Amino acid sequence: MTFSGIKKIPLIIYDKTNIGFVFWFLIGILITIIFYQPFEQPVISDRAYLLYMSQVVFRGDPLYNSTTFGYTPLASILVGGFMKLGTLFSLNTIESARISGILLYGGICGSVFIMSKTLFNDRRTTYIACILFCGLGYIQILSGIHAEAKLWVLLFSVLGIYFFNKEKWLWTGLIFSLAAMSWHVAVVSLFACAMVLPFRTKKFLPAFTSLMTGVFIGVLPVLLYLLFTDGWIDFWNQAIIRKLKIEGASVGESPFLWIKSGIYPHFILESLHFIFGFLGGIIAVYVLLRNRKAQINDPFSKRTVLFLLCYSVLWAIFNSLDFQTNIDLLPLIPPVIIFGTYFIKYVLDKIHQKGIIIVVSIIFITYNFFDAITYELPFVYKEQLAVIRELKEKYDRLFVIDFEEYYVLQETPMPTKFMRYTWYEDHLIDRTENGCVGIGDFLIEEQFSAVIEFNPEKRVRSKAATQLVEKIQKPFEIPYIRSNCASYLIENFTSSIPKDTIKIKNQTVLLGSAFYLYREYSLYEFQSSILHE
């Protein structure tokens, strides 16, 4: 049997579009470095959590036995390997993580060019798509910190749509499988492929066989990793059971509130991109239904639009049920860019006066890169690192609760596999031998001097951050609950009265200098009588 996906290996380097790929690869990197200060971005909260996973792989520790990581591991494996490579150039893991993210973003920009060129088959429209994508500054900010899982999903989503449109079924299955191996939720994209495939080709069985072969090839590295690290049980408990137990009981924030608010006047273009995409999708469907023989452009056929709509609807349904932050919208970016570009093209084609086209183009460019030009950081990485080092000097053996940045910036392993000791980790702690009691005994045996805990009740937000919370998070905000294990450790091994408090300026969301808060951390010293027992 000959699989259609391997009749001709579609490597970019052999394609005439390689110059365009390299050009937009470099443009993406330059925009990120010039405007978004990647080496000054602080590493906080979920960004620190995910970066730590790559550090674990870099150290050679088994990922799921050493942490409570709840994603599939491919992204962490790739970045951990890049960190190993970075040591040859005397780079630390933080620097390697940033460079990997910047390079990944360049790769995404180049892939958007290839995808758009295939879909539109028009130079001007392809450039519009690339410019539109480069205007999404939030992606560049994330990329300047770490090549985290959902950025890899974005890359694989762009390439997956490209290969689907080219009817390279083995490569389609492989690429979308790699997306799911970076973030297991991305299996949604494969469902879209399976649903549309019967309408896409008359040779369904060979195409489906090629697709599933690609899926198996993509899954294989992760299967081998779990096998050799003996991570099956922990992976199942952390990535599947915990998701069902903790997140399955409630619905997350609504993505529509993020899109509607636009976090105005900051990063409003993030919302307008989605509006452009929505309008472009409606126009595309209208044009095709109005003239069944018409094709928007030759490759941008009815079957392509059907796949993009199916893909978008499935991801929109998922995000409506289990949306946590705006980063969850990244898999929707490719169809948003495609339909948004078609909307802009449709408008420009209706304008016949060159002067008006020039004015509209200037407005579009200004709008698209407004965030890049005005972006500022509320505080920088070196300030964050100075606070961590000061704490290290003052308290040599410090145990942290919901403050993983302390270990990430020092590039040292956490004392236990549990990352944050927040309430959603209690059931995982209870599954271990001796549970939280055993953790307490370990802390005493290792002579930890103090516990530092994030105190969310005393955080002070900036005006913009407060407005953001009131618009988006307030209806869904859950009161802070100290975990059972954290309560046990503080109440039984410390004086239960904070000896000191530390205030750290922090970002709420990565949207610029207006969005920050002061987080307060309470520090509890271990009772000397217990330490010397």
Side-chain angles (χ1 to χ4, degrees):
M1 180 183 294
T2 300
F3 297 116
S4 61
I6 56 176
K7 288 179 180 177
K8 181 180 178 182
I9 300 176
L11 295 177
I12 293 170
I13 192 171
Y14 298 121
D15 196 285
K16 293 181 180 179
T17 60
N18 63 334
I19 296 177
F21 175 89
V22 172
F23 175 79
W24 285 102
F25 173 84
L26 295 175
I27 287 294
I29 289 175
L30 287 174
I31 291 175
T32 303
I33 293 175
I34 293 172
F35 294 106
Y36 291 100
Q37 309 162 54
F39 293 96
E40 296 182 9
Q41 290 285 347
V43 184
I44 58 172
S45 189
D46 288 347
R47 313 286 72 77
Y49 177 92
L50 294 170
L51 198 154
Y52 181 78
M53 302 308 161
S54 299
Q55 291 177 332
V56 170
V57 174
F58 164 77
R59 286 190 287 266
D61 298 328
L63 184 58
Y64 296 100
N65 298 340
S66 304
T67 71
T68 57
F69 192 44
Y71 290 0
T72 35
L74 182 61
S76 298
I77 294 172
L78 292 172
V79 180
F82 191 87
M83 290 175 176
K84 285 282 189 184
L85 181 64
T87 59
L88 300 177
F89 302 93
S90 301
L91 298 173
N92 61 40
T93 59
I94 308 292
E95 293 166 338
S96 293
R98 295 187 191 279
I99 294 172
S100 70
I102 296 169
L103 294 176
L104 176 61
Y105 180 75
I108 298 171
C109 290
S111 299
V112 168
F113 169 81
I114 293 172
M115 175 191 71
S116 303
K117 186 175 185 295
T118 302
L119 287 170
F120 294 106
N121 199 25
D122 174 72
R123 181 187 300 177
R124 185 189 71 168
T125 310
T126 300
Y127 288 168
I128 291 173
C130 294
I131 293 171
L132 194 65
F133 176 76
C134 288
L136 288 167
Y138 198 84
I139 300 173
Q140 292 154 321
I141 295 170
L142 289 175
S143 302
I145 301 172
H146 174 223
E148 63 177 75
K150 292 172 188 177
L151 290 172
W152 286 99
V153 172
L154 175 56
L155 171 67
F156 294 136
S157 298
V158 173
L159 291 175
I161 292 171
Y162 164 76
F163 285 120
F164 187 93
N165 189 64
K166 297 285 285 186
E167 298 189 354
K168 304 293 184 180
W169 304 124
L170 185 141
W171 284 88
T172 301
L174 171 62
I175 295 298
F176 279 132
S177 177
L178 293 176
M181 293 303 99
S182 301
W183 181 34
H184 49 302
V185 172
V187 72
V188 168
S189 301
L190 286 169
F191 290 144
C193 292
M195 291 173 64
V196 177
L197 195 60
F199 304 97
R200 181 76 194 200
T201 177
K202 295 179 180 180
K203 300 179 180 179
F204 172 74
L205 187 58
F208 184 75
T209 303
S210 294
L211 183 76
M212 295 311 298
T213 301
V215 171
F216 175 75
I217 295 172
V219 170
L220 190 58
V222 170
L223 294 179
L224 292 174
Y225 178 80
L226 292 174
L227 177 64
F228 288 117
T229 59
D230 193 26
W232 284 102
I233 295 176
D234 287 315
F235 170 74
W236 179 259
N237 288 333
Q238 292 161 202
I240 307 299
I241 300 300
R242 183 177 67 173
K243 292 288 183 181
L244 294 174
K245 183 178 179 65
I246 302 301
E247 296 179 5
S250 60
V251 177
E253 300 169 5
S254 169
F256 302 107
L257 289 175
W258 283 82
I259 295 170
K260 178 183 176 182
S261 68
I263 318 177
Y264 182 80
H266 310 273
F267 284 70
I268 187 171
L269 70 86
E270 308 285 343
S271 300
L272 290 180
H273 274 60
F274 279 84
I275 294 172
F276 288 170
F278 179 74
L279 294 175
I282 292 176
I283 294 172
V285 172
Y286 171 76
V287 170
L288 289 174
L289 291 178
R290 186 179 180 183
N291 186 352
R292 295 183 179 183
K293 295 182 180 180
Q295 294 185 344
I296 298 171
N297 276 306
D298 188 34
F300 201 29
S301 64
K302 184 182 297 184
R303 292 178 298 177
T304 299
V305 173
L306 176 63
F307 171 69
L308 292 173
L309 290 176
C310 182
Y311 175 97
S312 302
V313 168
L314 287 180
W315 271 108
I317 291 172
F318 165 76
N319 275 312
S320 297
L321 295 175
D322 190 32
F323 182 79
Q324 302 300 321
T325 71
N326 51 348
I327 299 172
D328 291 352
L329 294 171
L330 289 187
L332 274 169
I333 294 299
V336 165
I337 295 300
I338 293 168
F339 286 130
T341 299
Y342 179 67
F343 169 73
I344 295 171
K345 176 184 181 301
Y346 186 84
V347 172
L348 291 177
D349 286 346
K350 297 296 182 182
I351 302 174
H352 302 290
Q353 296 183 16
K354 187 175 181 181
I356 297 177
I357 292 177
I358 293 174
V359 172
V360 171
S361 299
I362 293 173
I363 293 173
F364 168 67
I365 295 293
T366 304
Y367 142 77
N368 201 63
F369 294 108
F370 173 79
D371 294 336
I373 296 170
T374 59
Y375 180 76
E376 294 180 20
L377 281 166
F379 78 120
V380 295
Y381 173 71
K382 64 181 179 181
E383 295 173 323
Q384 182 190 23
L385 185 59
V387 173
I388 300 298
R389 288 175 173 171
E390 183 180 345
L391 284 171
K392 174 65 176 175
E393 291 175 3
K394 192 173 181 179
Y395 303 96
D396 182 47
R397 299 285 286 167
L398 189 60
F399 182 73
V400 303
I401 296 174
D402 200 10
F403 187 33
E404 59 269 28
E405 298 94 321
Y406 181 78
Y407 291 103
V408 173
L409 269 63
Q410 293 185 74
E411 302 180 86
T412 56
M414 295 188 181
T416 70
K417 72 172 288 179
F418 303 104
M419 304 291 297
R420 291 172 168 170
Y421 286 86
T422 45
W423 61 272
Y424 54 79
E425 288 185 334
D426 274 334
H427 78 285
L428 293 175
I429 295 173
D430 292 339
R431 287 174 175 265
T432 62
E433 186 177 358
N434 298 323
C436 195
V437 175
I439 293 172
D441 294 340
F442 167 78
L443 297 181
I444 298 304
E445 181 181 340
E446 294 295 320
Q447 296 287 301
F448 279 81
S449 58
V451 176
I452 185 169
E453 178 190 34
F454 169 52
N455 187 347
E457 296 178 354
K458 295 188 178 181
R459 58 189 168 190
V460 178
R461 294 186 176 99
S462 66
K463 181 179 179 181
T466 300
Q467 291 174 345
L468 174 61
V469 170
E470 289 176 350
K471 286 182 178 181
I472 297 173
Q473 293 181 333
K474 191 173 182 180
F476 307 95
E477 200 164 27
I478 301 172
Y480 176 76
I481 303 173
R482 177 187 278 175
S483 71
N484 294 333
C485 189
S487 296
Y488 170 80
L489 295 174
I490 291 173
E491 292 170 6
N492 289 276
F493 296 96
T494 75
S495 61
S496 299
I497 300 175
K499 180 188 176 183
D500 196 5
T501 57
I502 297 95
K503 288 186 178 180
I504 301 176
K505 191 176 183 180
N506 214 332
Q507 287 176 295
T508 48
V509 287
L510 306 176
L511 293 175
S513 59
F515 295 89
Y516 65 88
L517 57 78
Y518 287 96
R519 301 181 75 175
E520 184 171 301
Y521 296 83
S522 301
L523 192 138
Y524 305 87
E525 281 195 325
F526 279 95
Q527 298 181 49
S528 58
S529 59
I530 296 178
L531 289 173
H532 295 93
E533 284 183 356

